[in-house]
Amino acid sequence: MDSLRTAVFRFAGAEFEQLSGTLRVGDQERRLRPQTAAVLAQLLEHAGQLVTHDSLIQSVWGDTIVTDNSLAQCISEIRGVLGSTPDKVIETVPRRGYVLRVPVTVAGMPLAPEPLAQAPAPSDAVTVPGDASGRRWLMVAAGAIGVFLCAALWFGVKLMARTEPGRLSLAVLPFQMRAAAADQAWFAENVGEDITMNLSRIPGAHVIAHVSTQAYSAPGVDLRKVGQELGVR
C-alpha cells in the first residue's frame, strides 16, 4: 500500500488527501492532526474490514506510550468533520476496533479490500504551503531545532545517567509560537510529533505520546507538576 501514501481517497461524499492530511466534506475543509490522518488512512486502506485497536495503535504510534483515549480522540475528530451520520461511516466494534462501512475509491479506482497486514508507521513527511523562501526558512528552522534538541537530549541522558539511575522517561510539550499563522502552528505541531516519534525509538525509553501532552500548551506551565502527572522525570 506504499503507493497509496500520496493518494486521494473519496468516500461517503468526503475527500481525503493523505499527503497533506486534509479532509474535505462539501465546503468544509480541515487539516487533520498527523495521528488522526494516519488512523483515517489505515481505515480507508482496509475499507470493509475490521481494523483492531492494537493494529491501529501499532501502525500509528509504534512503541510510543499512548493513553487509552488517544485512539478514541482520533476517531472522534474524524467523525466530527464527517458531520451527519458519522457512525454509519465508521462503525465501532466494541472491545475490538473499527470498520469503515462505505465504498472507497482512490484516484477514481475502487479500493478492493485485502487481508489486514501489519502496516508500517505512516510517513512523517510534511508539505508546508507558502512560497519558496517561506519553505526554505521553515526547513532551516526545523534543522536548527533538531540539532539543538539532539544535543540537549545527549547532555540530558548523560546527566541522568550520573545523577538518577533508572529508565529514561521523556515528554515533548507543545511548542510555544508567537503570533504564528495557522500554517506555522501546524508545522510546529508536526515538528513536535516527529521529535516524539524519534525519541520513542531509543531502546528502553518511556516516551509519552504527542497527543497526551497537548493539554499542557499554556505558557508558563509547572514542568515539575507536568512530569508528575505524566509519570516522567
Side-chain angles (χ1 to χ4, degrees), residues 11-12 79 82 84-91 99-102:
F11 65 103
R79 285 172 170 167
L82 292 177
S84 61
T85 64
D87 293 341
K88 294 183 179 179
V89 178
I90 301 177
E91 176 187 349
V99 180
L100 192 79
R101 289 296 189 187
V102 296

Side-chain angles (χ1 to χ4, degrees), residues 152-171:
L153 175 62
W154 185 85
F155 284 111
V157 170
K158 290 293 185 180
L159 180 61
M160 285 189 289
R162 294 180 180 178
T163 61
E164 187 176 8
R167 190 179 185 186
L168 177 65
S169 57
L170 300 164

Side-chain angles (χ1 to χ4, degrees), residues 30-72:
R30 180 170 175 181
R31 179 172 283 163
L32 303 177
R33 294 182 300 112
Q35 310 97 315
T36 303
V39 169
L40 178 56
Q42 286 293 306
L43 294 175
L44 290 167
E45 290 179 17
H46 302 95
Q49 304 175 47
L50 171 67
V51 186
T52 65
H53 293 109
D54 291 343
S55 175
L56 284 169
I57 290 174
Q58 179 61 35
S59 297
V60 176
W61 287 277
D63 296 328
T64 305
I65 306 299
V66 299
T67 58
D68 293 340
N69 67 343
S70 297
L71 178 56

Side-chain angles (χ1 to χ4, degrees), residues 52-204:
T52 65
H53 293 109
D54 291 343
S55 175
L56 284 169
I57 290 174
Q58 179 61 35
S59 297
V60 176
W61 287 277
D63 296 328
T64 305
I65 306 299
V66 299
T67 58
D68 293 340
N69 67 343
S70 297
L71 178 56
Q73 288 178 1
C74 292
I75 296 295
S76 178
E77 183 179 348
I78 296 169
R79 285 172 170 167
V81 180
L82 292 177
S84 61
T85 64
D87 293 341
K88 294 183 179 179
V89 178
I90 301 177
E91 176 187 349
T92 300
V93 181
R95 295 183 295 278
R96 296 187 64 191
Y98 301 94
V99 180
L100 192 79
R101 289 296 189 187
V102 296
V104 178
T105 60
V106 181
M109 298 295 294
L111 180 61
E114 62 177 35
L116 180 61
Q118 186 64 40
S123 171
D124 289 328
V126 177
T127 300
V128 181
D131 57 21
S133 61
R135 290 195 296 271
R136 192 178 304 113
W137 180 89
L138 289 175
M139 292 176 64
V140 172
I145 291 173
V147 171
F148 172 77
L149 287 173
C150 288
L153 175 62
W154 185 85
F155 284 111
V157 170
K158 290 293 185 180
L159 180 61
M160 285 189 289
R162 294 180 180 178
T163 61
E164 187 176 8
R167 190 179 185 186
L168 177 65
S169 57
L170 300 164
V172 180
L173 300 188
F175 284 95
Q176 298 296 328
M177 302 287 289
R178 294 184 177 180
D183 289 333
Q184 292 177 345
W186 178 79
F187 174 75
E189 181 178 351
N190 277 272
V191 171
E193 170 71 7
D194 184 67
I195 293 170
T196 299
M197 293 294 292
N198 281 282
L199 290 176
S200 70
R201 297 188 176 98
I202 299 175

